[in-house]
């Protein structure tokens, strides 16, 4: 039972870190263009 006193704050800490990372990536524009990076390997850059 005493493990819950450790695991619950750790779970909140991990969830908060994941949420902060998600908002940071949205703020930095990681999700602005989702189509072009998937097609970039198919484009031939032999100029």
């Amino acid at each position: 039972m005493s493990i819950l006193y450790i695991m619950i704050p750790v779970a909140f800490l991990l969830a908060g870190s994941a949420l902060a990372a998600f908002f940071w990536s949205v703020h930095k524009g990681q999700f602005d263009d989702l189509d072009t990076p998937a097609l970039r390997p198919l484009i031939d850059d032999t100029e």
Side-chain angles (χ1 to χ4, degrees):
M1 182 69 182
S2 63
I3 192 69
L4 290 178
Y5 295 120
I6 296 171
M7 294 303 292
I8 290 174
V10 168
F12 279 118
L13 181 67
L14 290 174
S17 298
L19 194 63
F22 173 73
F23 283 118
W24 177 79
S25 65
V26 168
H27 179 71
K28 292 292 184 178
Q30 294 291 318
F31 299 110
D32 288 346
D33 185 16
L34 297 177
D35 294 329
T36 303
L39 298 174
R40 193 168 293 149
L42 301 175
I43 299 171
D44 190 19
D45 288 338
T46 58
E47 294 178 11

